[in-house]
Amino acid sequence: MQRLTSPDALEKLRAELAGKRQAIKKTVFVCCGPGCLANGSRKIADAIGLQMEKQKVDASVGYRRCTTGCHGFCEQGPLVIVQPGDIFYCKVKPSDAATIVERTVKGDELVERLLYLDPGTKQRCKAFTEIPFYAKQTRVALARIGTLDPTDLGNAIASGGYASLAKALFTMKPDQVIDLVDRSGLRGKGGGGFLTGRKWRSCVKAPGDRRYVICNGDEGDPGAFMDRATMEGDPHCVIEGMIIGAYAVGSHEGYVYVREEYPLAVEYMQLGVDEARKAGLLGDNILGSDFSFDIKISRGGGAFVCGESSALMRSVEGKVGEPRAKYIHSVERGLWDQPTVLNNVETWATVPVIVQKGVDWFRSMGTKGSPGTKAFSLSGQVRNTGLIEVPMGVTLREVIFGIGGGLFKRRTFKAVQTGGPSGGCLPEDKLDLAVDFDELTRAGSMMGSGGMIVMDDRACMVDVARYFTAFLVDESCGKCVPCREGTKQLLALLTDITHGNATEDHLARIEALAATIMQASLCALGKSAPNPVLSTLKQFRQEYLSHIEKKRCPAGVCKPLTRFVIDEETCTGCGLCLKACPVDAIRGEKKKPHTIEPSKCITCAACREVCPVDAVEVAS
Amino acid sequence: MKTPDLTKLDTILERHEAAERSLIQVLQDVQKEYRYLPREAFEKVGRHCGVSVARVYSTATFYKAFSLVPQGEKLVRVCAGTACHVRGAGLLLDELERALSLEPGKTSPDGKITLKTVNCVGACAMAPCVMIDGEAHGNVKPGEVVTLVKGGRRDAAAD
């Protein structure tokens, strides 16, 4: 790509690219987002490419295949979208490539069997816009993901990329940019919810010779993948947001910190930065202006604590990622002790859209205290798992049952976990809660970065609390005692409960210990570490008591406290459990009730998973 | 353990600025090349980045991405993220531990395979997920995980 030396050159290029795009008859988009990749979508992309060549509908005659980032509806993946027409094919196999190319690309027919079947109306949806999962969303930060090739800067420019940057650089003063972001009410989407504009302003006011901007792509919360999807799906919107932010605060050097567990995000962000630099969108005199700024990619080393701002900065410096006390603000003394603005991926990705569309538009969405939208990764025991973006203020019920399609057949809702290891579990009576930063915190959980894990009646809340505590023991950096030793003791107490070795005294000890950890820990990791335990203890105390007093895990998860039995009346004698049992503990003749031999049973729950009539139960 | 061939170390170091900020990035590349961080490389890495051997050691042991012992030729990582946890990742791990006679974090005596857990790879919608050398496999069932890890095909439905 040529070096762009003025905003006019950028617009000229955009017009040129748009013209070329108009000449394209059809485009086949193959989703290569995190979910679809795990479902083998790369093979589908190859097969489609091969078929297009074979059936002579390739680039030379105006057809195009494009591999994109996450389209969102992971549960239905691998996804293939044909444009124009928003034609949406789901659960595609490589062997479907020939048919898709022949009938939908070469011809104008739909492949009926690959269209999404709406379980509500029992109708096939021709376009993805008709699917409730999509129809109920509002996409801002994720708007372009799934519609462009993340490895091609031209694609981003043709879709409006870097127009906001040109607008900011040539029509606004840095202070006006800050003012705009401030008035929009944009809050940090990494979990803290701090006002972005205020953060930027504090950085500008802080004394220092150099200023830095950082993008936090360390998404360490288990169960969250919005940032991965954004970095892999539309790296240029993140880069553009960072350049605008840098211009606003007067920074000339920025870092994108990406966790090493996301190798593709590292690769695409690096590629995006290199391409942008070649095009004059990064480096000296961006778009011919006086402003210079460049970005480096910094790979993390696999430490959850590095998602904490001060630990992340130490890690960028090449040091061990230990946080420091919060009274030193990183906007004043951050990276190499210089004033630093750190925002997460989604926040940066939202900035260009605000610059483009303005404050009123942004504030027309969401709630008064939390304007705009928020991306969530919806996962766990919900039908429609995937990546979604909704206006702040929608209810949990709308997200889980509207967009998410509810739970699987015969399963009932138990809790939704938000906020990762710093958050909590919310039960059914909190489902009508409006999702925004303040409401979730008030309810005893938190927004966090946006992971939302739905749990059904087969999830044990004590086990979930134990799971997060074990995670935090493993991830505590070890710098301060309350977190390092406290979480370890918390885990020991919880393990006692899940093993049936606890007394009621344990709950009081947990509460006392939790209070100390929250009060005395150095950073947010420790301060929020007891949240998963406290929130489950508050909402599901009976379940804890059942473990302690009755030595029974009602959900059938804690192995020492679970014994499975087959209900004679429900069992149809289909024999599926017998085949699934890895230790031959199940006996029974076909069409007659089966039984479990307790001495052989290892409580693996394989029988319960396969039973089509829920005859395998937890013994009382 | 035999002494590793450290000739490639110089090429790695050349790619990185001689500064403290490069330390983690250098170690990442060394780990990738050797599948572990050879103790023999620490002096040179430290000199290049301008830090002590103790600092190299502390960084190498702080971050999960690094290993001080050689990793197996095949790296199997069972995702232990929340979504995977509630959708039965524990069963996959139990099954692999049993079939491979390996504890998580350990490498088989013949050096062929390393079994680990990983705190979320971001494929939560496809939980539970197993990463085999960088390739993610979603919706893995306990009955097929061993075949999958041994390089076999999963049920026809998954291809």
Side-chain angles (χ1 to χ4, degrees), chain A residues 236-259:
Chain A
H236 288 289
C237 73
V238 183
I239 296 168
E240 186 180 0
M242 287 181 73
I243 309 171
I244 295 171
Y247 171 69
V249 303
S251 159
H252 303 292
E253 200 174 331
Y255 288 84
V256 181
Y257 188 85
V258 194
R259 66 197 283 255

Side-chain angles (χ1 to χ4, degrees), chain A residues 437-497:
Chain A
F437 289 105
D438 313 312
E439 288 291 321
L440 287 183
T441 309
R442 257 198 293 277
S445 183
M446 65 180 275
M447 178 84 97
S449 57
M452 214 179 250
I453 301 115
V454 178
M455 300 181 193
D456 64 14
D457 50 333
R458 287 181 179 176
C460 168
M461 293 297 116
V462 188
D463 171 72
V464 168
R466 193 192 167 277
Y467 162 79
F468 280 115
T469 310
F471 176 90
L472 290 161
V473 168
D474 202 31
E475 294 292 352
S476 171
C477 77
K479 183 171 176 173
C480 74
V481 179
C483 174
R484 186 184 67 223
E485 300 304 323
T487 51
K488 222 177 262 173
Q489 293 307 322
L490 205 53
L491 179 63
L493 290 166
L494 287 165
T495 308
D496 280 349
I497 301 178

Side-chain angles (χ1 to χ4, degrees), chain A residues 32 110-111 164 225 231 243 271 342 354 371 471 476 548 568 571 605:
Chain A
C32 286
L110 295 173
V111 186
S164 303
F225 58 93
M231 291 186 285
I243 309 171
L271 192 70
L342 178 140
I354 295 176
F471 176 90
S476 171
I548 295 168
E568 269 183 45
C571 179

Side-chain angles (χ1 to χ4, degrees), chain A residues 175-454:
Chain A
D175 196 53
Q176 287 174 307
V177 178
I178 297 182
D179 187 54
L180 179 84
V181 174
D182 198 14
R183 282 187 295 119
S184 77
L186 173 66
R187 294 174 69 169
K189 296 189 183 187
F194 196 81
L195 285 162
T196 308
R198 192 178 294 171
K199 190 186 263 184
W200 292 11
R201 187 153 281 143
S202 312
C203 177
V204 173
K205 283 186 187 152
D209 346 316
R210 279 167 300 153
R211 275 162 231 284
Y212 296 102
V213 294
I214 298 180
C215 171
N216 184 351
D218 193 52
E219 194 169 58
D221 281 14
F225 58 93
M226 304 77 49
D227 294 348
R228 174 178 170 187
T230 308
M231 291 186 285
E232 292 179 8
D234 190 5
H236 288 289
C237 73
V238 183
I239 296 168
E240 186 180 0
M242 287 181 73
I243 309 171
I244 295 171
Y247 171 69
V249 303
S251 159
H252 303 292
E253 200 174 331
Y255 288 84
V256 181
Y257 188 85
V258 194
R259 66 197 283 255
E260 63 97 31
E261 289 89 339
Y262 291 173
L264 203 59
V266 175
E267 191 187 323
Y268 285 6
M269 285 305 297
Q270 184 67 59
L271 192 70
V273 163
D274 293 344
E275 293 262 292
R277 194 181 295 120
K278 268 185 230 150
L281 295 161
L282 274 176
D284 292 336
N285 303 98
I286 293 173
L287 285 175
S289 69
D290 301 336
F291 178 64
S292 303
F293 172 70
D294 212 337
I295 293 175
K296 288 197 181 90
I297 307 293
S298 190
R299 268 177 300 168
F304 175 69
V305 70
C306 289
E308 197 276 345
S309 58
S310 63
L312 185 150
M313 291 173 196
R314 298 296 84 73
S315 188
V316 172
E317 290 169 5
K319 299 187 175 92
V320 159
E322 285 179 352
R324 64 176 185 201
K326 268 284 175 195
Y327 63 86
I328 314 166
H329 297 294
S330 58
V331 284
E332 286 152 15
R333 282 174 56 198
L335 192 60
W336 288 294
D337 276 342
Q338 298 297 320
T340 304
V341 162
L342 178 140
N343 284 122
N344 102 314
V345 171
E346 197 188 335
T347 315
W348 287 122
T350 310
V351 169
V353 200
I354 295 176
V355 170
Q356 198 61 35
K357 299 191 176 174
V359 168
D360 294 338
W361 169 81
F362 190 71
R363 279 199 169 269
S364 71
M365 299 172 296
T367 58
K368 197 157 179 278
S370 307
T373 55
K374 177 79 190 81
F376 290 98
S377 46
L378 193 57
S379 64
Q381 307 293 12
V382 62
R383 275 175 200 269
N384 303 337
T385 54
L387 179 72
I388 61 165
E389 188 171 358
V390 288
M392 299 264 195
V394 299
T395 62
L396 283 167
R397 192 183 298 281
E398 176 66 7
V399 172
I400 297 165
F401 291 88
I403 297 171
L407 279 78
F408 295 102
K409 217 171 163 180
R410 300 197 313 275
R411 297 273 66 84
T412 51
F413 176 85
K414 185 165 187 179
V416 57
Q417 209 280 339
T418 66
S422 308
C425 292
L426 298 169
E428 194 168 9
D429 63 9
K430 295 278 190 291
L431 275 177
D432 291 305
L433 206 71
V435 179
D436 75 6
F437 289 105
D438 313 312
E439 288 291 321
L440 287 183
T441 309
R442 257 198 293 277
S445 183
M446 65 180 275
M447 178 84 97
S449 57
M452 214 179 250
I453 301 115
V454 178

